[in-house]
Amino acid sequence: MPHSSNLSFLGIAKEATLGTPVAATAFIPVEKPTPKDVLTLLQDKGLRGSMVEVYNEISGPKHSTFDFGGDVFPDTIGWMLAGTLGDLVTTGASAPYTHAVAVLNTSDGQPKSYTLTDYYATGTRQYAGAKFSELVFKFNGDSMLTYSAKATAFASATTTVPTPSFTAIPPIAAWTGVVQIGGTTVSTVLDGEVTIKRPVTVIQPVAGSQNPANLWSGPVSVDGKLTLVMEDDTQLTNYLNNSQPSLDINFAAGSGTTAIQVKLHMTNVVYSAADIGRGKDYVELAVAFNARANTTDIGTSGGYSPIKATIQNAITSGTYA
């Protein structure tokens, strides 16, 4: 008998030790979660007097990947931001708490690892040691603020079905956002995208285990794009003059204990392209940018960071990382 995909759900929890699975402490509403166990097969091609190429395939190292995404919720997005960037500072004595996230530059520079718990109706699997390698935000005026995330983890293992409990906060409609370029509010942005990338390397020594010894997070880079109604040459001039303005993409609502926010701040963005488009009844400008590492968008670990993300919600300190 088939099983319904709609019964699926995804849990997450931070780990005390990389690769040691822990039970889910939060549950994230997601769309089309895509887990994949990756088993390397080692081919035996030793000649045996026959006109064949491969005689056997031996199990080699294994790990997994896990891609998921959906609408941005102001509380659950904190897991992916903290897991990608690493430096997290939470302030506030009561809700709303403010969480500032930047690149971690102290100790070994490694962000927390997480256990992803995937219930897929026919069973439940844990993906321990998950490290995030990509987090993409997308928005346009007639949709939700959305994200997609990619993680690398140890090979999956079966577990018992947890009891999920989901956020009561609604997702964010993109039209509520405010975009500022160079400190000036710009009301002509039609859509945009911000991509935080961080390569995760699978380290596989000769150590008696098919699972990796480590999943190592590399350096952070941030890029993106904006499409604007081209009412003047301001952004084209920013490109031609390599002006490197600040960029703020801010979604905020509510007040008091129910205040929420998701804000992406980049002190310096370098425009790598600014293309005039006339495929519609009005002129557009498609801007591509890279966020430049600087000493302003940092957390308590200092150093440089190309972005600082700020989220506001009722989640207490110590939850995400």
Side-chain angles (χ1 to χ4, degrees):
M1 177 182 293
H3 294 267
S4 175
S5 298
N6 290 70
L7 296 176
S8 301
F9 58 81
L10 180 66
I12 192 169
K14 66 179 180 180
E15 297 177 345
T17 303
L18 174 73
T20 300
V22 290
T25 57
F27 296 86
I28 305 172
V30 296
E31 298 177 11
K32 298 180 180 178
T34 309
K36 182 180 180 181
D37 277 292
V38 182
L39 171 64
T40 302
L41 294 174
L42 309 174
Q43 294 184 333
D44 172 8
K45 294 185 177 182
L47 299 176
R48 289 166 170 77
S50 298
M51 294 299 293
V52 296
E53 182 180 13
V54 178
Y55 289 87
N56 199 359
E57 297 195 55
I58 310 301
S59 293
K62 58 183 180 180
H63 67 279
S64 67
T65 61
F66 205 117
D67 300 352
F68 60 94
D71 300 329
V72 171
F73 291 79
D75 47 4
T76 59
I77 195 62
W79 295 96
M80 286 69 80
L81 278 168
T84 307
L85 296 172
D87 186 319
L88 173 66
V89 178
T90 300
T91 55
S94 61
Y97 298 92
T98 299
H99 312 272
V101 196
V103 175
L104 180 65
N105 291 312
T106 52
S107 186
D108 59 6
Q110 294 298 292
K112 281 285 187 181
S113 62
Y114 300 87
T115 296
L116 299 174
T117 300
D118 180 28
Y119 175 69
Y120 48 96
T122 62
T124 309
R125 287 187 171 270
Q126 287 183 320
Y127 297 79
K131 304 284 283 291
F132 288 102
S133 60
E134 184 175 283
L135 178 58
V136 181
F137 292 91
K138 293 184 179 182
F139 58 92
N140 65 68
D142 57 4
S143 72
M144 296 286 198
L145 172 64
T146 65
Y147 78 96
S148 61
K150 297 180 182 293
T152 302
F154 284 30
S156 70
T158 57
T159 188
T160 56
V161 183
T163 301
S165 177
F166 294 99
T167 177
I169 300 175
I172 299 172
W175 66 264
T176 64
V178 176
V179 178
Q180 291 184 318
I181 301 176
T184 300
T185 299
V186 178
S187 59
T188 57
V189 175
L190 297 170
D191 58 60
E193 184 174 315
V194 177
T195 300
I196 306 171
K197 293 181 181 178
R198 182 162 207 175
V200 174
T201 301
V202 177
I203 300 178
Q204 182 68 53
V206 180
S209 174
Q210 281 182 284
N211 264 321
N214 210 325
L215 298 172
W216 193 257
S217 298
V220 174
S221 63
V222 177
D223 59 48
K225 54 189 178 182
L226 300 171
T227 305
L228 305 95
V229 177
M230 193 176 182
E231 294 184 346
D232 55 44
D233 281 1
T234 302
Q235 303 312 321
L236 178 59
T237 302
N238 277 338
Y239 167 62
L240 294 173
N241 292 345
N242 191 22
S243 299
Q244 302 185 14
S246 62
L247 174 61
D248 288 277
I249 303 167
N250 187 24
F251 300 87
S255 62
T257 59
T258 61
I260 58 94
Q261 181 182 40
V262 175
K263 180 180 180 179
L264 305 177
H265 171 74
M266 291 150 275
T267 293
N268 299 107
V269 293
V270 179
Y271 288 3
S272 56
D275 300 327
I276 300 171
R278 276 161 284 202
K280 296 180 180 177
D281 291 338
Y282 51 87
V283 181
E284 293 181 327
L285 186 71
V287 173
F289 64 84
N290 301 298
R292 182 166 64 82
N294 61 84
T295 57
T296 300
D297 299 339
I298 59 173
T300 57
S301 62
Y304 287 75
S305 177
I307 190 171
K308 176 175 277 189
T310 302
I311 59 175
Q312 200 173 47
N313 53 42
I315 303 299
T316 57
S317 177
T319 301
Y320 298 124

